[in-house]
Amino acid sequence: MIELLDYVLDYDDNFWIVNNITDNKYKGYIVYRVNETGKYNHITKRYYLKDNDNNGIIEIPKLYKKVFKPRKFYLENKNNLEGIWKDYVNCLNEIGISDEDIGIFGSYLIGFDISKDVDFSIYGKENLHKYYDNVNYIKNKLNVTSITTEHINYQYDKHKVKFNESCDLKEIISRNWSGIELPNGVLSTPRFIDINNQSIPKKQGEDKLITVKVIEGIYSAMLPRVATVEYKNDKYKVYSTLWKFQSFAHKGDILEIYGNIDEKNKIIMLDENKYYITYMYKSKTI
């Protein structure tokens, strides 16, 4: 069974990441595309460039060569981790997150050398809360920081061209409370996965601009990204598949959202870069 953050190798030897599951369809995009000017992959024995200009989120090929599983890979390779990454997973174990609930995704999973960082996935809502309750302990023990102003500006300048000009992208990036930034400027952000609810509803509303108040925001740090908001005196769920929208909602935020609004099913969908969030009031309470 394919899960979120699994990787798929297609028959052209391109690597896909599974970004969302909608209507029983696995969707994502190519992250590494075959290119002889790129870096070497130890599994396919070919060269690749990272595909930063993907053509949107689409259904992954139904026929493929191989699926790469983050949790399986982590269990097989935990003892190969060194330095800060070994210390990091030891901290996760120490706060009560078991090895069975940890994965490694990203380039290391699919056969590339570790060039900067290791990307970790953490599974289960209960483990999101364990991490949140202990995030300062983790950062202090590892002698790392939260995302810095310099890195926020770097990420914003790199990605702003992909988003609507009205999107408060810099504010969203700054809300990355779970990421750890090393003294050399490398940022590693764990991705939390709701293993019991990996699918998102089918989009079937109307695109429009609305104002909402966030009732619950902590699960916007998970995949799928979900927040509960109040709109028209009723509760709605906001879903986003946008990678940069991690932790976009804090309890008490007042948000102006341009998205796909399904008033029948009380769902707000943010799954294309044309959609955006503007913060009318910024809450400090996650």
Side-chain angles (χ1 to χ4, degrees), residues 87-207:
D87 295 338
Y88 181 71
V89 297
N90 286 340
C91 278
L92 297 183
N93 292 159
E94 188 179 337
I95 66 173
I97 300 175
S98 70
D99 285 337
E100 289 72 22
D101 291 329
I102 301 172
I104 290 175
F105 72 102
S107 57
Y108 185 29
L109 167 66
I110 55 177
F112 293 101
D113 291 328
I114 301 174
S115 57
K116 295 190 301 182
D117 65 340
V118 177
D119 297 307
F120 292 96
S121 48
I122 299 173
Y123 298 77
K125 280 187 172 182
E126 69 282 0
N127 289 322
L128 168 67
H129 287 282
K130 289 176 185 177
Y131 194 99
Y132 176 71
D133 291 342
N134 291 280
V135 65
N136 290 331
Y137 170 77
I138 293 171
K139 291 174 182 178
N140 290 335
K141 185 160 187 178
L142 298 178
N143 194 30
V144 297
T145 67
S146 301
I147 186 171
T148 61
T149 301
E150 291 76 14
H151 206 98
I152 292 168
N153 291 334
Y154 164 75
Q155 289 283 336
Y156 174 72
D157 290 338
K158 180 180 179 180
H159 296 287
K160 64 183 179 182
V161 67
K162 302 175 185 178
F163 291 87
N164 190 295
E165 291 182 354
S166 297
C167 184
D168 275 346
L169 182 62
K170 187 176 287 189
E171 172 65 21
I172 295 172
I173 294 170
S174 74
R175 291 180 166 216
N176 179 2
W177 57 264
S178 60
I180 61 170
E181 186 165 334
L182 280 58
N184 63 2
V186 169
L187 179 74
S188 180
T189 300
R191 306 295 173 170
F192 302 94
I193 296 176
D194 184 355
I195 54 177
N196 295 319
N197 186 21
Q198 296 192 42
S199 298
I200 62 172
K202 188 176 181 180
K203 184 167 69 175
Q204 48 191 355
E206 174 187 358
D207 288 358

Side-chain angles (χ1 to χ4, degrees), residues 236-247:
Y236 279 63
K237 294 288 188 183
V238 182
Y239 291 87
S240 178
T241 62
L242 301 177
W243 190 255
K244 300 308 296 181
F245 274 35
Q246 174 153 332
S247 304

